[in-house]
Amino acid sequence: MKDIGITFKAQMVRAILDGRKTQTRRIIEGQQPNGGEGFHKTHPYHRPDGNWVWCLGSGMGVGDPFNCEYKIGSLLWVRESWRTTRVLDTCKTINLAHGAAIEYEAGGSNLASGNIVHDLGKLRSARIMPRWASRILLEIKNVRVERLRDISEEGAIAEGVTPSIAGHDLDHLKFRAGFQTLWESIHGAG
């Protein structure tokens, strides 16, 4: 099994650190079904419109009709937005010394005893975070494929979202509404 980098926004990193986020969903990118068998005969493939997602985490059934890069037992190292000191702003990520002082946008640092990084520089994208700077390592317990719209209230809670009732009349769907808000902030409306 290989370690896989996975990007999260600061609010989701905080949810992971708080123990509220135990699942994540990712869009299935342009794959064809394995041999065209099973699942797809009754549920047509709907990429690239974003209707199908990988659901990774715990407490889920297992079913993988696609060729999934996420395997049970694999480790996900979390990428998050970060900063170094202002002096290192012109230094490319690849040239940063292993163990350079890092301050995470979600809070905290990589310094011993939780010290803060002083004279912070520019915010750097999670996409360019070096592997050594990651502070969170997650093990994949289960993988499944589902339609995004089929997320349950329990699934939305496991996503670590903040409840919302904006646009919804039913209070029992408040975490699904919160998940919709988060999803659309990342992937756009619809």
Side-chain angles (χ1 to χ4, degrees), residues 56-149:
L56 312 174
S58 59
M60 300 177 292
V62 178
D64 184 7
F66 295 85
N67 182 18
C68 180
E69 74 173 301
Y70 304 109
K71 304 290 183 202
I72 295 172
S74 292
L75 299 177
L76 302 174
W77 61 276
V78 174
R79 292 178 168 148
E80 58 184 297
S81 297
W82 54 286
R83 302 172 192 271
T84 58
T85 59
R86 188 175 315 279
V87 162
L88 296 176
D89 273 355
T90 59
C91 187
K92 291 184 178 182
T93 302
I94 197 165
N95 295 328
L96 284 176
H98 182 88
I102 301 290
E103 183 83 17
Y104 303 100
E105 182 183 21
S109 73
N110 68 338
L111 300 177
S113 71
N115 292 333
I116 61 170
V117 178
H118 295 285
D119 195 28
L120 289 174
K122 66 183 178 186
L123 186 65
R124 296 183 190 224
S125 170
R127 291 186 187 130
I128 61 168
M129 174 180 256
R131 171 67 181 94
W132 61 262
S134 177
R135 61 179 167 168
I136 303 171
L137 194 60
L138 306 169
E139 181 182 357
I140 298 175
K141 299 287 187 179
N142 286 300
V143 178
R144 75 171 180 212
V145 176
E146 70 179 14
R147 284 184 185 266
L148 183 60
R149 69 177 180 221

Side-chain angles (χ1 to χ4, degrees), residues 10 35 93 164 172:
T93 302
S164 168
H172 68 280

Side-chain angles (χ1 to χ4, degrees), residues 13-40:
V13 171
R14 285 189 290 276
I16 291 168
L17 294 172
D18 292 346
R20 295 181 292 112
K21 183 169 181 62
T22 59
Q23 290 183 7
T24 192
R25 284 158 175 77
R26 295 294 192 250
I27 295 174
I28 293 174
E29 297 292 345
Q31 295 186 34
Q32 296 300 317
N34 294 339
E37 297 295 324
F39 189 80
H40 299 284

